[in-house]
Amino acid sequence: MACNSCSTSDGSAPKGCKNNGTCGTDSCNKLTVFDWLSNMALPGGQEVFDCVEVRFKNGRKEFYRNTEKLTLSIGDIVATESSPGHDVGIVTLTGELVKVQMKKKGVNHEGEVLKIYRKASQKDIDIWSDARDKEEPMKVRARELAIALKLEMKISDIEFQGDGSKATFYYTANDRVDFRQLIKDFAKEFSTRIEMKQVGFRQEASRLGGIGSCGRELCCSTWLTDFRSVNTSAARYQQLSLNPQKLAGQCGKLKCCLNYELDTYLDALKGFPDMETKLYTEKGDALCQKVDIFKGLMWFAYTNNFAQWHVLKVDQVKEIVALNKEKKRIAALEDYTVETIVEEEKDFKNAVGQDSLTRFDQPKKKKRPNKKRPTADAEKQKGAPEKQNRPEKQNRPAPEGQGGQNKPTAEGQPKNNNRRPRPNRNKPSNNKNDSKQ
């Protein structure tokens, strides 16, 4: 039943994957924890941990206590405690790993935990499926009502409770929204209990999912569970251009992947002088313009000539800084400049008949309209009817003793208008096709 909203589903049965709710599409495998303790037996006398992890729509997970001592395994559909009524979800984790996950999420397993009522019956599954089918058309109508009230909010998703008694509306907004009238309209329109829940833009992207600029599924919708703050300093440390179109993700915020390699860059920058390092020379003062962490190079430019940069190694910069601390100036940066080797571009040969790799580098030149004078053939077609009305020129006989094919007629000789010589016209013909041969 987990594939009900999946792209590979056919009604209530999986169509393409045939994994019965454990495929990698939609929310079937979203944020799933690998149970690496599943093939290990517990020591003698130790009871199985009585809490399980249950997943609901779009990867929402909760922990429940198995008070009825039910035999549960991953993939079972269960009816859980809710307020009011009950909810329906899928078991995603059992055993000792649940205790680790609860500790990671900050849930006290010895405190009060909601319980599991029973394994879901066919009636529970039918009600749950019918409620899930109502969510998409209800979302469209809910957005129309919000627009009619001119509220600055976006309703991103709707989740029905398993028994169909309550609908939770997830929305995003920049400011606080007064939706009291909207709730009244929703209750009147949908005839069910309404709950409004505001989520952040990152949480919205994790619920809806999508494909990132890297070509893979979004990290927040597949494996990332904690959203750490990302600021522009992470891009500055990694020498990235501060282009919001490239640094922003699907949620409109800075990409979470900017933090992945930040620690490595910070460790590498520990051996570099500060970016605000100022070198004092007899030729003038110089400021740092750029740093290459991988090659260990730094670019400096004089304050009176920022257009010309000088490349120095990190050790040379440290040496100059040490001399400046002793109140000594070097002659000029040119004495320490490193000659950079320009790598030649590799020429990729078209060995298997593929298109050129650089076919998009040069813009296509627009074809200019051909302003040349019309050719003789074009003039023939235009002037053929007129010339057929003058048979005295076409039937002019050739001089005696000479073949008409060897000596062109007066009309066949080239003129000043760059016309090509015409073929032999000794034989009179009124047919247009014959005159062209």
Side-chain angles (χ1 to χ4, degrees):
M1 295 307 299
C3 289
N4 192 22
S5 62
C6 181
S7 60
T8 61
S9 65
D10 184 10
S12 59
K15 180 181 178 182
C17 59
K18 297 182 180 180
N19 286 326
N20 297 318
T22 59
C23 61
T25 57
D26 194 50
S27 61
C28 299
N29 201 28
K30 186 183 295 185
L31 303 177
T32 300
V33 179
F34 175 69
D35 190 3
W36 53 276
L37 294 176
S38 59
N39 59 347
M40 298 180 66
L42 293 173
Q46 183 175 349
E47 296 183 356
V48 181
F49 189 60
D50 60 348
C51 291
V52 297
E53 183 187 67
V54 181
R55 175 179 57 79
F56 300 94
K57 183 183 178 183
N58 285 332
R60 181 175 66 89
K61 293 183 178 180
E62 301 291 343
F63 299 99
Y64 294 90
R65 195 179 300 278
N66 186 9
T67 56
E68 302 296 330
K69 305 296 181 181
L70 302 172
T71 304
L72 299 176
S73 59
I74 296 176
D76 290 340
I77 303 175
V78 294
T80 62
E81 181 182 358
S82 183
S83 178
H86 68 274
D87 205 348
V88 178
I90 302 172
V91 177
T92 55
L93 195 63
T94 59
E96 294 297 320
L97 278 184
V98 181
K99 185 185 296 184
V100 178
Q101 289 294 107
M102 294 178 73
K103 183 179 180 181
K104 180 181 179 181
K105 299 291 180 62
V107 180
N108 184 13
H109 64 88
E110 296 179 355
E112 294 184 1
V113 182
L114 299 177
K115 62 182 180 180
I116 294 177
Y117 288 143
R118 61 187 180 276
K119 285 188 177 182
S121 62
Q122 186 61 40
K123 183 179 180 181
D124 295 331
I125 294 175
D126 293 339
I127 296 173
W128 178 43
S129 300
D130 294 340
R132 289 288 297 270
D133 294 338
K134 297 178 184 177
E135 292 173 355
E136 194 62 29
M138 184 182 290
K139 181 172 64 175
V140 176
R141 179 58 182 159
R143 289 177 176 176
E144 293 176 355
L145 295 174
I147 294 172
L149 294 175
K150 298 181 180 180
L151 298 178
E152 295 182 359
M153 59 184 296
K154 177 186 175 183
I155 299 174
S156 59
D157 195 17
I158 298 176
E159 182 180 357
F160 259 103
Q161 196 169 281
D163 56 358
S165 61
K166 184 179 69 172
T168 303
F169 289 74
Y170 294 92
Y171 72 95
T172 56
N174 293 322
D175 300 322
R176 186 172 180 178
V177 180
D178 184 9
F179 47 76
R180 289 176 292 183
Q181 182 61 37
L182 183 64
I183 293 178
K184 295 178 182 178
D185 295 344
F186 283 173
K188 183 179 179 181
E189 180 76 19
F190 306 126
S191 301
T192 186
R193 185 175 179 179
I194 305 298
E195 180 180 349
M196 304 294 293
K197 193 170 184 179
Q198 184 176 4
V199 295
F201 293 98
R202 295 182 187 274
Q203 285 77 11
E204 179 191 19
S206 66
R207 290 183 64 85
L208 301 180
I211 304 297
S213 58
C214 57
R216 300 173 63 92
E217 293 186 53
L218 299 180
C219 299
C220 56
S221 64
T222 51
W223 63 271
L224 189 63
T225 56
D226 55 333
F227 298 99
R228 291 188 295 173
S229 61
V230 186
N231 48 32
T232 55
S233 62
R236 291 192 181 96
Y237 283 125
Q238 300 177 54
Q239 304 293 323
L240 300 175
S241 89
L242 301 179
N243 188 350
Q245 294 181 350
K246 293 183 178 181
L247 298 181
Q250 298 279 5
C251 57
K253 305 294 182 181
L254 293 176
K255 294 179 181 178
C256 297
C257 54
L258 291 176
N259 284 337
Y260 295 168
E261 298 179 355
L262 180 59
D263 295 337
T264 304
Y265 277 85
L266 292 176
D267 292 340
L269 286 172
K270 289 181 180 178
F272 278 71
D274 193 69
M275 282 285 293
E276 298 179 357
T277 301
K278 195 172 184 179
L279 303 182
Y280 300 97
T281 67
E282 296 178 357
K283 192 175 180 179
D285 301 340
L287 297 175
C288 181
Q289 304 295 323
K290 178 184 173 183
V291 173
D292 191 335
I293 298 176
F294 303 104
K295 295 182 180 180
L297 302 175
M298 299 181 72
W299 281 258
F300 284 85
Y302 290 109
T303 54
N304 55 4
N305 186 10
F306 283 105
Q308 186 177 4
W309 291 8
H310 303 277
V311 186
L312 281 75
K313 292 184 179 180
V314 176
D315 298 336
Q316 295 175 339
V317 175
K318 291 181 179 179
E319 180 182 349
I320 297 173
V321 171
L323 292 174
N324 292 153
K325 286 182 179 179
E326 298 176 0
K327 297 183 179 181
K328 297 180 181 179
R329 292 175 177 262
I330 62 173
L333 292 177
E334 287 77 0
D335 299 338
Y336 295 85
T337 301
V338 178
E339 294 183 1
T340 57
I341 301 174
V342 180
E343 297 182 358
E344 296 182 358
E345 295 185 359
K346 296 181 179 180
D347 185 14
F348 296 95
K349 295 183 178 179
N350 188 3
V352 292
Q354 295 178 347
D355 293 333
S356 174
L357 296 175
T358 60
R359 63 186 184 277
F360 297 119
D361 294 348
Q362 298 294 336
K364 292 184 178 180
K365 296 182 179 179
K366 295 183 179 180
K367 294 183 178 180
R368 296 182 179 179
N370 191 5
K371 296 183 179 180
K372 294 182 179 180
R373 300 184 66 177
T375 58
D377 296 337
E379 290 186 356
K380 274 183 186 181
Q381 296 178 0
K382 291 181 180 180
E386 298 178 0
K387 292 175 182 178
Q388 288 178 2
N389 296 332
R390 293 180 287 182
E392 64 278 1
K393 293 185 179 180
Q394 294 181 0
N395 298 331
R396 181 180 298 173
E400 294 182 1
Q402 295 182 1
Q405 294 182 355
N406 296 330
K407 185 176 180 180
T409 61
E411 260 189 34
Q413 293 179 355
K415 297 182 180 180
N416 295 331
N417 56 358
N418 296 328
R419 291 177 59 182
R420 292 184 297 177
R422 295 182 180 179
N424 185 16
R425 294 194 174 185
N426 292 333
K427 298 180 181 181
S429 175
N430 296 326
N431 192 351
K432 190 185 294 185
N433 296 329
D434 296 338
S435 63
K436 292 182 180 179
Q437 292 179 355

